[in-house]
Amino acid sequence: MDLVGLLKSQFLCHLVFCYVFIASGLIVNTLQLCTLVLWPIDKQLFRRLNCRLSYCVSSQLVMLLEWWSGTECVIYTDPRAYPTFGKENAIVVLNHKFEIDFLCGWSLAERFGVLGGSKVLAKKELAYVPIIGWMWYFTEMVFCTRKWEQDRKTVSQSLSPSSLSSLAPRGTGRGPADGSDRPCALSPQFLIHCEGTRFTETKRRVSMQVAQAKGLPSLKHHLLPRTKGFAVTVRSLRDVVSAVYDCTLNFRNNENPTLLGVLNGRKYHADMYVRRIPLEQVPEDEDQCSAWLHRLYQEKDAFQEEYYRTGTFPETPMVPSRRPWTLLNWLFWASLLLYPFFRFLVSMASSGSSLTLAGFVLVFFVASMGVRWMIGVTEIDKGSAYGNMDSKQKQRD
Protein backbone atom coordinates (compact mmCIF):
# COMPACT_ATOMS: atom_id res chain seq x y z
CA MET A 1 0.00 0.00 0.00
CA ASP A 2 1.39 3.43 -0.96
CA LEU A 3 1.52 6.40 1.39
CA VAL A 4 -1.65 7.99 -0.01
CA GLY A 5 -3.53 4.70 0.29
CA LEU A 6 -2.32 4.29 3.86
CA LEU A 7 -3.48 7.81 4.69
CA LYS A 8 -6.92 7.18 3.22
CA SER A 9 -7.36 4.06 5.34
CA GLN A 10 -6.74 5.89 8.64
CA PHE A 11 -9.71 6.24 10.97
CA LEU A 12 -8.77 9.85 11.77
CA CYS A 13 -9.45 10.75 8.12
CA HIS A 14 -12.75 8.91 8.29
CA LEU A 15 -13.64 10.79 11.45
CA VAL A 16 -12.95 14.13 9.72
CA PHE A 17 -15.21 13.21 6.80
CA CYS A 18 -17.96 11.99 9.08
CA TYR A 19 -17.73 15.03 11.37
CA VAL A 20 -18.07 17.39 8.40
CA PHE A 21 -20.94 15.33 6.99
CA ILE A 22 -22.83 15.07 10.28
CA ALA A 23 -22.31 18.68 11.36
CA SER A 24 -23.12 20.15 7.95
CA GLY A 25 -26.05 17.76 7.56
CA LEU A 26 -27.61 18.87 10.84
CA ILE A 27 -27.10 22.51 9.85
CA VAL A 28 -28.79 21.83 6.52
CA ASN A 29 -31.66 20.01 8.26
CA THR A 30 -32.11 23.03 10.54
CA LEU A 31 -32.16 25.39 7.56
CA GLN A 32 -34.69 23.11 5.86
CA LEU A 33 -36.85 23.28 8.95
CA CYS A 34 -36.73 27.08 8.74
CA THR A 35 -37.94 26.97 5.13
CA LEU A 36 -41.28 25.53 6.30
CA VAL A 37 -42.51 29.12 6.77
CA LEU A 38 -42.40 29.43 2.97
CA TRP A 39 -44.68 26.47 2.34
CA PRO A 40 -48.03 28.29 2.68
CA ILE A 41 -46.63 31.36 0.87
CA ASP A 42 -44.61 30.05 -2.07
CA LYS A 43 -44.30 26.29 -2.56
CA GLN A 44 -42.08 26.64 -5.61
CA LEU A 45 -39.55 28.75 -3.72
CA PHE A 46 -39.67 26.21 -0.86
CA ARG A 47 -38.89 23.38 -3.28
CA ARG A 48 -36.10 25.24 -5.06
CA LEU A 49 -34.38 26.14 -1.79
CA ASN A 50 -34.61 22.57 -0.52
CA CYS A 51 -33.28 21.26 -3.82
CA ARG A 52 -30.13 23.31 -3.28
CA LEU A 53 -29.89 22.53 0.41
CA SER A 54 -30.17 18.81 -0.25
CA TYR A 55 -27.35 19.10 -2.79
CA CYS A 56 -25.09 20.30 0.04
CA VAL A 57 -25.58 16.93 1.75
CA SER A 58 -25.84 14.36 -1.05
CA SER A 59 -22.93 15.85 -2.99
CA GLN A 60 -20.58 15.09 -0.08
CA LEU A 61 -21.15 11.36 -0.57
CA VAL A 62 -20.62 11.77 -4.31
CA MET A 63 -17.38 13.62 -3.53
CA LEU A 64 -16.16 10.61 -1.56
CA LEU A 65 -16.88 8.33 -4.50
CA GLU A 66 -15.47 10.55 -7.24
CA TRP A 67 -12.61 12.49 -5.64
CA TRP A 68 -11.55 10.47 -2.58
CA SER A 69 -12.07 6.96 -3.90
CA GLY A 70 -11.53 7.86 -7.55
CA THR A 71 -14.21 5.40 -8.66
CA GLU A 72 -15.18 5.89 -12.29
CA CYS A 73 -18.48 4.84 -13.82
CA VAL A 74 -18.44 4.10 -17.54
CA ILE A 75 -21.75 4.45 -19.35
CA TYR A 76 -22.59 2.12 -22.22
CA THR A 77 -25.34 3.74 -24.27
CA ASP A 78 -26.56 4.76 -27.70
CA PRO A 79 -24.62 7.90 -28.75
CA ARG A 80 -27.84 9.32 -30.19
CA ALA A 81 -29.53 9.17 -26.77
CA TYR A 82 -26.56 10.50 -24.79
CA PRO A 83 -27.18 14.24 -25.54
CA THR A 84 -30.62 14.02 -23.89
CA PHE A 85 -29.24 12.87 -20.51
CA GLY A 86 -29.70 15.61 -17.93
CA LYS A 87 -31.90 17.66 -20.25
CA GLU A 88 -35.21 15.91 -19.71
CA ASN A 89 -37.31 14.56 -16.86
CA ALA A 90 -37.08 10.78 -16.73
CA ILE A 91 -37.92 7.67 -14.70
CA VAL A 92 -34.73 5.75 -13.88
CA VAL A 93 -35.00 1.99 -13.29
CA LEU A 94 -31.83 0.70 -11.61
CA ASN A 95 -30.95 -2.81 -10.46
CA HIS A 96 -30.39 -3.15 -6.71
CA LYS A 97 -27.52 -5.55 -6.12
CA PHE A 98 -24.59 -3.57 -4.68
CA GLU A 99 -24.10 -1.57 -1.48
CA ILE A 100 -23.11 1.56 -3.42
CA ASP A 101 -25.47 1.24 -6.40
CA PHE A 102 -27.40 4.27 -5.14
CA LEU A 103 -24.13 6.21 -4.96
CA CYS A 104 -23.26 5.36 -8.56
CA GLY A 105 -26.72 6.61 -9.54
CA TRP A 106 -26.11 9.83 -7.61
CA SER A 107 -22.71 10.23 -9.26
CA LEU A 108 -24.21 10.08 -12.73
CA ALA A 109 -27.02 12.42 -11.71
CA GLU A 110 -24.36 14.86 -10.47
CA ARG A 111 -22.36 14.64 -13.69
CA PHE A 112 -25.47 15.48 -15.68
CA GLY A 113 -26.36 18.31 -13.27
CA VAL A 114 -29.59 16.92 -11.80
CA LEU A 115 -28.51 15.54 -8.41
CA GLY A 116 -30.25 18.06 -6.18
CA GLY A 117 -33.59 17.75 -7.95
CA SER A 118 -33.67 13.97 -8.25
CA LYS A 119 -36.36 11.99 -6.45
CA VAL A 120 -36.55 8.41 -5.25
CA LEU A 121 -39.15 5.93 -4.06
CA ALA A 122 -37.82 4.74 -0.70
CA LYS A 123 -39.00 2.63 2.22
CA LYS A 124 -40.65 4.62 4.99
CA GLU A 125 -38.07 3.62 7.62
CA LEU A 126 -35.47 5.78 5.86
CA ALA A 127 -37.50 8.91 6.64
CA TYR A 128 -36.37 8.59 10.27
CA VAL A 129 -32.65 8.31 9.48
CA PRO A 130 -30.99 11.59 10.57
CA ILE A 131 -29.61 13.89 7.87
CA ILE A 132 -30.33 11.83 4.73
CA GLY A 133 -33.84 10.75 5.74
CA TRP A 134 -34.73 14.19 7.08
CA MET A 135 -33.29 15.81 3.96
CA TRP A 136 -35.45 13.54 1.81
CA TYR A 137 -38.52 14.46 3.86
CA PHE A 138 -38.10 18.15 3.04
CA THR A 139 -37.49 17.39 -0.64
CA GLU A 140 -40.78 15.45 -0.71
CA MET A 141 -39.38 12.03 -1.49
CA VAL A 142 -41.95 9.27 -1.81
CA PHE A 143 -41.82 6.99 1.25
CA CYS A 144 -43.55 3.61 0.94
CA THR A 145 -44.70 1.24 3.68
CA ARG A 146 -44.85 -1.84 1.37
CA LYS A 147 -48.57 -2.09 2.13
CA TRP A 148 -49.92 -1.59 -1.35
CA GLU A 149 -53.34 -0.06 -0.66
CA GLN A 150 -51.67 2.59 1.47
CA ASP A 151 -48.72 3.04 -0.90
CA ARG A 152 -50.97 3.46 -3.95
CA LYS A 153 -52.51 6.54 -2.36
CA THR A 154 -49.12 7.84 -1.18
CA VAL A 155 -47.46 7.51 -4.60
CA SER A 156 -50.44 9.02 -6.44
CA GLN A 157 -50.58 12.03 -4.11
CA SER A 158 -46.81 12.57 -4.03
CA LEU A 159 -46.57 12.51 -7.82
CA SER A 160 -49.73 14.49 -8.51
CA PRO A 161 -49.49 17.64 -10.69
CA SER A 162 -49.88 19.92 -7.66
CA SER A 163 -46.94 18.20 -5.91
CA LEU A 164 -44.74 18.62 -8.99
CA SER A 165 -45.76 22.14 -9.90
CA SER A 166 -42.18 23.47 -9.66
CA LEU A 167 -40.91 21.08 -12.34
CA ALA A 168 -40.60 21.91 -16.01
CA PRO A 169 -42.95 20.10 -18.42
CA ARG A 170 -41.62 17.01 -20.15
CA GLY A 171 -38.71 17.59 -22.50
CA THR A 172 -37.93 21.15 -21.32
CA GLY A 173 -35.42 20.49 -18.55
CA ARG A 174 -31.98 22.05 -18.65
CA GLY A 175 -28.67 20.52 -17.66
CA PRO A 176 -24.96 20.87 -18.36
CA ALA A 177 -25.35 19.50 -21.86
CA ASP A 178 -27.13 22.67 -22.99
CA GLY A 179 -24.59 25.05 -21.58
CA SER A 180 -25.83 25.26 -17.99
CA ASP A 181 -23.11 24.13 -15.60
CA ARG A 182 -24.93 24.92 -12.40
CA PRO A 183 -24.38 22.81 -9.27
CA CYS A 184 -28.07 21.94 -9.06
CA ALA A 185 -30.58 21.98 -11.91
CA LEU A 186 -34.30 21.24 -11.78
CA SER A 187 -34.55 18.50 -14.40
CA PRO A 188 -35.11 15.62 -12.02
CA GLN A 189 -34.77 11.90 -12.42
CA PHE A 190 -37.28 9.71 -10.57
CA LEU A 191 -35.20 6.76 -9.35
CA ILE A 192 -36.98 3.45 -8.73
CA HIS A 193 -35.51 0.17 -7.52
CA CYS A 194 -38.35 -2.02 -8.79
CA GLU A 195 -37.00 -5.09 -7.00
CA GLY A 196 -37.88 -3.41 -3.70
CA THR A 197 -34.82 -4.65 -1.82
CA ARG A 198 -31.19 -5.52 -2.49
CA PHE A 199 -30.41 -8.73 -4.30
CA THR A 200 -29.11 -11.74 -2.38
CA GLU A 201 -29.19 -15.37 -3.43
CA THR A 202 -31.59 -16.20 -0.58
CA LYS A 203 -34.00 -13.50 -1.70
CA ARG A 204 -33.67 -14.62 -5.32
CA ARG A 205 -34.72 -18.17 -4.45
CA VAL A 206 -37.83 -16.90 -2.68
CA SER A 207 -38.55 -14.50 -5.53
CA MET A 208 -38.25 -17.24 -8.15
CA GLN A 209 -40.72 -19.40 -6.22
CA VAL A 210 -43.21 -16.57 -6.72
CA ALA A 211 -42.22 -16.25 -10.38
CA GLN A 212 -42.84 -19.96 -10.91
CA ALA A 213 -46.24 -19.72 -9.22
CA LYS A 214 -47.17 -16.83 -11.55
CA GLY A 215 -45.87 -18.55 -14.66
CA LEU A 216 -43.08 -16.01 -15.19
CA PRO A 217 -39.58 -16.81 -16.52
CA SER A 218 -36.85 -17.29 -13.94
CA LEU A 219 -34.29 -14.54 -13.35
CA LYS A 220 -30.67 -15.27 -12.47
CA HIS A 221 -29.31 -11.84 -11.53
CA HIS A 222 -32.42 -9.95 -10.36
CA LEU A 223 -35.43 -10.32 -8.12
CA LEU A 224 -38.94 -10.31 -9.51
CA PRO A 225 -39.88 -6.62 -9.98
CA ARG A 226 -42.76 -5.14 -8.06
CA THR A 227 -44.89 -3.84 -10.88
CA LYS A 228 -47.76 -1.95 -9.28
CA GLY A 229 -45.63 0.89 -7.91
CA PHE A 230 -43.96 1.30 -11.28
CA ALA A 231 -47.30 1.34 -13.10
CA VAL A 232 -48.74 4.01 -10.79
CA THR A 233 -45.54 6.08 -11.11
CA VAL A 234 -45.69 5.95 -14.92
CA ARG A 235 -49.36 6.87 -14.94
CA SER A 236 -48.81 9.80 -12.55
CA LEU A 237 -45.84 11.15 -14.52
CA ARG A 238 -47.19 10.83 -18.07
CA ASP A 239 -47.22 14.61 -18.54
CA VAL A 240 -43.95 15.20 -16.67
CA VAL A 241 -41.34 12.74 -17.92
CA SER A 242 -40.22 12.00 -21.48
CA ALA A 243 -38.55 8.63 -21.10
CA VAL A 244 -37.63 5.65 -18.96
CA TYR A 245 -33.90 5.13 -18.46
CA ASP A 246 -33.23 1.43 -17.98
CA CYS A 247 -29.93 1.27 -16.05
CA THR A 248 -28.09 -2.00 -15.46
CA LEU A 249 -25.05 -1.70 -13.15
CA ASN A 250 -22.15 -4.06 -12.60
CA PHE A 251 -18.50 -3.93 -11.49
CA ARG A 252 -15.43 -5.25 -13.25
CA ASN A 253 -13.40 -8.21 -12.06
CA ASN A 254 -16.22 -9.34 -9.72
CA GLU A 255 -15.56 -6.40 -7.39
CA ASN A 256 -17.80 -6.27 -4.33
CA PRO A 257 -17.95 -2.53 -3.56
CA THR A 258 -18.89 -1.24 -0.11
CA LEU A 259 -19.29 2.20 1.41
CA LEU A 260 -16.53 1.32 3.87
CA GLY A 261 -14.28 0.58 0.91
CA VAL A 262 -15.09 3.98 -0.59
CA LEU A 263 -14.32 5.62 2.75
CA ASN A 264 -10.98 3.76 2.78
CA GLY A 265 -10.21 5.31 -0.61
CA ARG A 266 -10.51 2.08 -2.57
CA LYS A 267 -11.10 2.65 -6.28
CA TYR A 268 -13.83 0.62 -7.93
CA HIS A 269 -14.59 0.21 -11.62
CA ALA A 270 -18.29 0.49 -12.41
CA ASP A 271 -19.97 -0.14 -15.76
CA MET A 272 -23.58 0.86 -16.41
CA TYR A 273 -25.68 0.06 -19.45
CA VAL A 274 -28.24 2.84 -20.00
CA ARG A 275 -31.12 2.47 -22.46
CA ARG A 276 -33.39 5.42 -23.19
CA ILE A 277 -36.93 4.17 -23.77
CA PRO A 278 -39.48 6.81 -24.89
CA LEU A 279 -42.40 6.87 -22.48
CA GLU A 280 -44.77 6.32 -25.39
CA GLN A 281 -43.47 2.75 -25.59
CA VAL A 282 -44.61 2.01 -22.02
CA PRO A 283 -48.25 0.81 -22.00
CA GLU A 284 -50.81 2.88 -20.09
CA ASP A 285 -52.94 -0.07 -18.99
CA GLU A 286 -51.73 -1.37 -15.60
CA ASP A 287 -51.70 -5.05 -16.57
CA GLN A 288 -49.91 -4.35 -19.84
CA CYS A 289 -47.45 -2.07 -18.01
CA SER A 290 -46.72 -4.87 -15.53
CA ALA A 291 -46.07 -7.32 -18.36
CA TRP A 292 -43.81 -4.74 -20.01
CA LEU A 293 -41.77 -4.37 -16.81
CA HIS A 294 -41.35 -8.14 -16.48
CA ARG A 295 -40.02 -8.26 -20.05
CA LEU A 296 -37.66 -5.40 -19.22
CA TYR A 297 -36.18 -7.34 -16.30
CA GLN A 298 -35.77 -10.43 -18.46
CA GLU A 299 -33.74 -8.27 -20.86
CA LYS A 300 -31.74 -6.80 -17.96
CA ASP A 301 -30.97 -10.34 -16.81
CA ALA A 302 -29.70 -11.21 -20.28
CA PHE A 303 -27.47 -8.11 -20.29
CA GLN A 304 -26.02 -9.09 -16.92
CA GLU A 305 -25.37 -12.63 -18.14
CA GLU A 306 -23.54 -11.25 -21.16
CA TYR A 307 -21.51 -8.93 -18.91
CA TYR A 308 -20.37 -11.82 -16.71
CA ARG A 309 -19.42 -13.76 -19.85
CA THR A 310 -17.65 -10.99 -21.82
CA GLY A 311 -16.87 -8.26 -19.26
CA THR A 312 -18.69 -5.59 -21.23
CA PHE A 313 -22.16 -4.25 -22.03
CA PRO A 314 -23.57 -3.50 -25.50
CA GLU A 315 -23.37 -0.05 -27.14
CA THR A 316 -20.67 2.64 -26.95
CA PRO A 317 -18.71 3.29 -23.71
CA MET A 318 -18.70 6.92 -22.53
CA VAL A 319 -17.41 8.67 -19.40
CA PRO A 320 -19.23 11.90 -18.43
CA SER A 321 -16.80 14.54 -17.21
CA ARG A 322 -16.41 15.02 -13.47
CA ARG A 323 -17.63 18.43 -12.24
CA PRO A 324 -15.90 20.43 -9.47
CA TRP A 325 -19.02 21.34 -7.47
CA THR A 326 -19.01 18.35 -5.10
CA LEU A 327 -15.38 19.00 -4.11
CA LEU A 328 -15.94 22.74 -3.72
CA ASN A 329 -19.02 22.10 -1.60
CA TRP A 330 -17.07 19.78 0.73
CA LEU A 331 -14.14 22.21 0.98
CA PHE A 332 -16.56 24.98 1.94
CA TRP A 333 -18.08 22.96 4.78
CA ALA A 334 -14.69 21.65 5.89
CA SER A 335 -13.21 25.16 6.11
CA LEU A 336 -16.29 26.33 8.01
CA LEU A 337 -16.42 23.48 10.52
CA LEU A 338 -12.95 22.00 11.05
CA TYR A 339 -11.17 25.05 12.52
CA PRO A 340 -13.54 25.46 15.51
CA PHE A 341 -13.56 21.68 15.93
CA PHE A 342 -9.76 21.43 16.17
CA ARG A 343 -9.64 24.43 18.52
CA PHE A 344 -12.12 22.64 20.74
CA LEU A 345 -10.00 19.47 20.71
CA VAL A 346 -6.83 21.41 21.55
CA SER A 347 -8.52 23.20 24.44
CA MET A 348 -9.79 19.88 25.80
CA ALA A 349 -6.37 18.24 25.54
CA SER A 350 -4.57 21.20 27.12
CA SER A 351 -6.94 21.49 30.06
CA GLY A 352 -5.37 18.46 31.75
CA SER A 353 -8.64 17.60 33.44
CA SER A 354 -9.27 13.87 33.73
CA LEU A 355 -13.01 14.52 33.42
CA THR A 356 -12.44 16.49 30.22
CA LEU A 357 -10.21 13.79 28.76
CA ALA A 358 -12.79 11.14 29.67
CA GLY A 359 -15.39 13.24 27.88
CA PHE A 360 -13.13 13.43 24.86
CA VAL A 361 -12.74 9.65 24.79
CA LEU A 362 -16.50 9.27 25.09
CA VAL A 363 -17.10 11.68 22.20
CA PHE A 364 -14.53 9.80 20.12
CA PHE A 365 -16.20 6.47 20.93
CA VAL A 366 -19.69 7.78 20.11
CA ALA A 367 -18.37 9.24 16.86
CA SER A 368 -16.81 5.95 15.84
CA MET A 369 -20.04 4.10 16.64
CA GLY A 370 -21.98 6.69 14.66
CA VAL A 371 -19.70 6.19 11.67
CA ARG A 372 -20.17 2.44 11.85
CA TRP A 373 -23.95 2.78 12.16
CA MET A 374 -24.22 5.06 9.14
CA ILE A 375 -22.14 2.66 7.06
CA GLY A 376 -24.19 -0.28 8.35
CA VAL A 377 -27.37 1.25 6.88
CA THR A 378 -26.00 0.52 3.40
CA GLU A 379 -24.85 -3.05 4.04
CA ILE A 380 -26.63 -5.79 2.12
CA ASP A 381 -27.03 -8.08 5.13
CA LYS A 382 -28.77 -5.24 6.98
CA GLY A 383 -31.47 -5.09 4.32
CA SER A 384 -35.12 -6.02 4.57
CA ALA A 385 -36.42 -9.34 5.92
CA TYR A 386 -37.42 -10.34 2.40
CA GLY A 387 -36.79 -14.07 2.10
CA ASN A 388 -37.13 -14.71 5.82
CA MET A 389 -40.91 -14.42 5.81
CA ASP A 390 -43.66 -15.97 3.80
CA SER A 391 -42.80 -15.42 0.16
CA LYS A 392 -46.33 -14.74 -0.98
CA GLN A 393 -46.71 -11.89 1.45
CA LYS A 394 -43.29 -10.39 0.83
CA GLN A 395 -43.37 -10.54 -2.96
CA ARG A 396 -46.80 -9.21 -3.74
CA ASP A 397 -46.83 -6.60 -6.42
Side-chain angles (χ1 to χ4, degrees):
M1 180 181 295
D2 58 17
L3 182 61
V4 174
L6 181 63
L7 177 66
K8 288 182 176 181
S9 67
Q10 298 305 303
F11 180 74
L12 185 59
C13 291
H14 304 169
L15 191 62
V16 168
F17 278 123
C18 291
Y19 164 72
V20 173
F21 179 77
I22 293 172
S24 63
L26 293 176
I27 292 172
V28 167
N29 287 159
T30 302
L31 293 174
Q32 289 181 304
L33 184 63
C34 294
T35 64
L36 283 176
V37 298
L38 296 173
W39 180 256
I41 304 170
D42 191 336
K43 290 183 175 62
Q44 291 195 23
L45 178 59
F46 170 87
R47 288 168 176 150
R48 291 178 183 275
L49 286 176
N50 278 283
C51 164
R52 285 151 178 80
L53 287 171
S54 69
Y55 181 86
C56 293
V57 176
S58 55
S59 67
Q60 292 186 48
L61 297 178
V62 175
M63 187 280 298
L64 280 177
L65 184 75
E66 294 185 345
W67 295 89
W68 182 254
S69 164
T71 295
E72 197 73 74
C73 187
V74 177
I75 294 179
Y76 290 78
T77 192
D78 185 344
R80 294 170 297 179
Y82 185 80
T84 66
F85 296 168
K87 296 176 63 177
E88 62 180 349
N89 303 335
I91 297 172
V92 179
V93 177
L94 180 62
N95 58 315
H96 204 15
K97 188 173 184 178
F98 305 98
E99 290 186 8
I100 65 167
D101 48 23
F102 77 98
L103 204 48
C104 291
W106 285 10
S107 175
L108 290 179
E110 156 59 22
R111 295 194 180 201
F112 290 112
V114 294
L115 176 60
S118 295
K119 291 184 177 292
V120 64
L121 268 65
K123 56 185 179 183
K124 189 175 180 63
E125 293 82 357
L126 293 177
Y128 306 106
V129 176
I131 302 175
I132 292 290
W134 299 346
M135 173 193 77
W136 280 356
Y137 175 82
F138 286 104
T139 51
E140 301 173 87
M141 295 297 177
V142 184
F143 293 106
C144 299
T145 62
R146 296 179 179 174
K147 298 177 181 178
W148 176 238
E149 291 307 318
Q150 182 176 342
D151 288 341
R152 179 192 292 272
K153 182 178 179 181
T154 299
V155 173
S156 298
Q157 289 180 346
S158 299
L159 300 181
S160 65
S162 61
S163 298
L164 302 173
S165 59
S166 63
L167 303 182
R170 53 182 295 181
T172 62
R174 298 179 68 239
D178 64 347
S180 171
D181 194 28
R182 297 167 292 171
C184 175
L186 281 172
S187 183
Q189 315 301 295
F190 297 84
L191 175 62
I192 305 177
H193 292 292
C194 292
E195 295 163 273
T197 184
R198 279 198 181 92
F199 178 96
T200 66
E201 190 56 38
T202 299
K203 296 174 184 178
R204 191 194 73 84
R205 287 194 296 268
V206 174
S207 181
M208 291 309 98
Q209 291 174 7
V210 178
Q212 185 178 15
K214 293 183 176 182
L216 296 169
S218 178
L219 300 174
K220 185 177 179 180
H221 305 289
H222 299 83
L223 305 179
L224 198 66
R226 303 181 182 218
T227 60
K228 291 184 178 178
F230 176 79
V232 171
T233 300
V234 169
R235 185 172 65 247
S236 301
L237 297 176
R238 280 279 171 187
D239 297 326
V240 177
V241 305
S242 304
V244 172
Y245 292 170
D246 171 36
C247 300
T248 305
L249 176 69
N250 212 321
F251 289 83
R252 297 174 204 168
N253 306 316
N254 292 317
E255 290 177 334
N256 184 27
T258 65
L259 187 57
L260 184 59
V262 171
L263 196 58
N264 282 323
R266 181 175 178 181
K267 183 175 183 177
Y268 298 109
H269 306 84
D271 291 324
M272 182 183 291
Y273 180 37
V274 182
R275 291 189 296 169
R276 182 187 183 276
I277 304 171
L279 196 66
E280 290 77 12
Q281 296 184 14
V282 183
E284 294 190 29
D285 177 78
E286 184 171 312
D287 291 337
Q288 294 180 11
C289 184
S290 297
W292 181 90
L293 186 64
H294 283 302
R295 289 194 300 271
L296 183 77
Y297 267 78
Q298 291 159 26
E299 294 170 359
K300 290 170 75 71
D301 218 54
F303 293 140
Q304 288 283 37
E305 186 66 20
E306 180 181 356
Y307 185 88
Y308 283 114
R309 183 174 59 85
T310 65
T312 187
F313 284 121
E315 298 291 358
T316 305
M318 300 181 179
V319 182
S321 58
R322 183 173 60 178
R323 306 196 309 160
W325 302 113
T326 57
L327 181 61
L328 293 175
N329 174 73
W330 188 85
L331 290 174
F332 165 77
W333 287 107
S335 61
L336 182 69
L337 297 170
L338 286 178
Y339 177 70
F341 177 66
F342 284 127
R343 282 198 61 181
F344 171 71
L345 293 182
V346 170
S347 64
M348 288 185 67
S350 60
S351 68
S353 169
S354 58
L355 184 61
T356 301
L357 292 176
F360 172 77
V361 172
L362 179 62
V363 169
F364 188 84
F365 174 76
V366 171
S368 64
M369 294 299 294
V371 170
R372 189 64 190 88
W373 176 79
M374 293 181 68
I375 292 174
V377 172
T378 71
E379 292 177 349
I380 291 177
D381 59 2
K382 300 297 194 301
S384 72
Y386 184 101
N388 298 325
M389 299 175 65
D390 182 76
S391 62
K392 292 184 179 180
Q393 291 183 356
K394 294 300 292 179
Q395 186 65 3
R396 285 176 183 169
D397 284 337

